[in-house]
Amino acid sequence: MERRDLEIFLTLAEELHFGRTAERLHVSTAMVSQTIKSIERRIGVPLFERTSRRVALTPVGRRLQEDIRPAFLQIEEGIARAVAAGRGVTGTLRVGFVGTAIGQFVMGVADRFSARHPECEVRIIEIRYADGTSQVHADEIDLLLAGAPSLEDDLAESPVLFREPPVLAVSARHPFARRESVAVADLTRDQVLVPRSLSQEVDELVVPPLEGLRRGPSFSTIQEMLALIGAGKGVFPVPAHAVHYDSRPDVTYVPIHDGQPFAWRLIWRATAESARIRAFVQAAEDAVKDDPSPLIP
């Protein structure tokens, strides 16, 4: 039975008048009559008693109304909530980030978004470097600000919001710490740390698969990475904002003069796109129009 058929039956069961039912549903009286006759033929018994003076439910019709009305209302409410989630900027939006500077940028975008859409709550959630896009896939966050493309067909992404050059994080005692810059090829002269759990494809967006490259200990968080680097256990390429936001006495940041820039964009599950997500992306795009280099103090 079609949704429209159920709607006509339940409305007639309430109104007990063909004309009022047709007016309420914006259809013709003939359509109401034809629909009820079709349902009765399918069920095999009359659902309404009709006379020239009144319309009344039969016992079977009353039982059918009692049986299907709660489920029909639940379906209608579910559809309404889905439409509101898809079209309306309400509810809750969970935005993930990695690192202090990125968190600061996301918070600024969230403030701009909230001023435009006060009925939608934004939750800012810090994730580990090694989590990659796993929390997006697990529906633990709705959006992730990432410095590289997703490489996954089921994920969608915004245009690149801003770019920043790479620097190599090395121990303050490392020979590279006294250089003005290094080349990508210099990564083969030390062991490069490994982000735990990240796929090889994603890892290679930051660490090119150079011949002779040696990989060192693994890490999950930014702080783990910096602790290992400060202890002389390896090196790792990071965005240039680390010079200002992740400063520590045992780590030095050296520009990689031929390195691939980090290209920051928002990433989300394509099937979960909503008005909330589109509005947050717009707020982020507007933020970088006002400040094209948002991570430079």
Side-chain angles (χ1 to χ4, degrees):
M1 198 179 299
E2 299 293 333
R3 174 173 172 266
R4 190 59 165 170
D5 296 344
L6 294 175
E7 185 178 34
I8 289 173
F9 166 74
L10 289 170
T11 304
L12 182 59
E14 290 179 16
E15 296 289 349
L16 296 177
H17 191 283
F18 282 81
R20 288 197 298 269
T21 297
E23 183 178 353
R24 181 170 155 185
L25 297 179
H26 306 289
V27 298
S28 67
T29 303
M31 181 177 180
V32 175
S33 180
Q34 291 167 6
T35 299
I36 297 302
K37 288 179 181 178
S38 174
I39 297 172
E40 289 176 330
R41 283 196 300 270
R42 182 171 182 178
I43 293 176
V45 294
L47 301 175
F48 294 91
E49 295 176 358
R50 309 166 181 82
T51 69
S52 59
R53 301 181 61 180
R54 65 190 289 268
V55 175
L57 283 162
T58 65
V60 174
R62 184 168 301 282
R63 179 61 184 272
L64 181 62
Q65 179 198 32
E66 293 171 353
D67 285 345
I68 69 174
R69 187 173 185 276
F72 182 80
L73 292 177
Q74 187 176 8
I75 291 171
E76 292 289 280
E77 290 168 0
I79 292 172
R81 284 193 295 270
V83 170
R87 298 179 182 174
V89 186
T90 59
T92 301
L93 186 68
R94 303 159 299 173
V95 185
F97 71 93
V98 180
T100 305
I102 300 304
Q104 180 174 302
F105 172 75
V106 169
M107 187 63 71
V109 175
D111 288 344
R112 182 183 292 254
F113 172 90
S114 296
R116 297 175 178 177
H117 309 286
E119 294 183 357
C120 185
E121 176 191 3
V122 180
R123 294 181 186 170
I124 306 302
I125 301 170
E126 183 175 14
I127 68 171
R128 303 179 308 166
Y129 187 103
D131 287 337
T133 58
S134 63
Q135 292 197 35
V136 179
H137 284 295
D139 193 28
E140 295 172 358
I141 57 176
D142 302 300
L143 281 166
L144 172 66
L145 187 63
S150 66
L151 301 181
E152 297 168 89
D153 293 338
D154 58 340
L155 296 181
E157 60 186 49
S158 71
V160 173
L161 298 171
F162 57 92
R163 303 176 191 271
E164 59 176 324
V167 296
L168 187 64
V170 303
S171 166
R173 303 181 303 278
H174 197 286
F176 288 171
R178 298 186 293 274
R179 293 174 56 170
E180 291 186 1
S181 69
V182 295
V184 170
D186 287 327
L187 293 176
T188 60
R189 299 176 61 183
D190 200 335
Q191 58 181 5
V192 182
L193 302 184
V194 180
R196 193 174 296 128
S197 302
L198 280 190
S199 69
Q200 181 178 343
E201 281 187 320
V202 175
D203 181 41
E204 289 179 356
L205 293 174
V206 177
V207 181
L210 303 170
E211 184 177 352
L213 186 72
R214 294 177 293 123
R215 303 309 297 263
S218 62
F219 67 91
S220 292
T221 69
I222 298 293
Q223 292 308 313
E224 285 181 14
M225 176 190 73
L226 294 176
L228 288 167
I229 291 171
K233 303 298 184 182
V235 301
F236 199 75
V238 297
H241 71 251
V243 175
H244 304 283
Y245 290 92
D246 296 313
S247 176
R248 47 187 289 166
D250 58 345
V251 175
T252 297
Y253 299 98
V254 186
I256 305 175
H257 60 77
D258 59 348
Q260 182 73 21
F262 287 83
W264 295 95
R265 81 285 308 280
L266 286 161
I267 291 175
W268 62 92
R269 285 183 299 127
T271 56
E273 184 170 325
S274 65
R276 289 191 296 268
I277 287 176
R278 291 189 292 270
F280 195 90
V281 170
Q282 186 61 60
E285 292 178 343
D286 292 344
V288 295
K289 286 179 184 175
D290 293 343
D291 183 2
S293 302
L295 302 187
I296 297 177

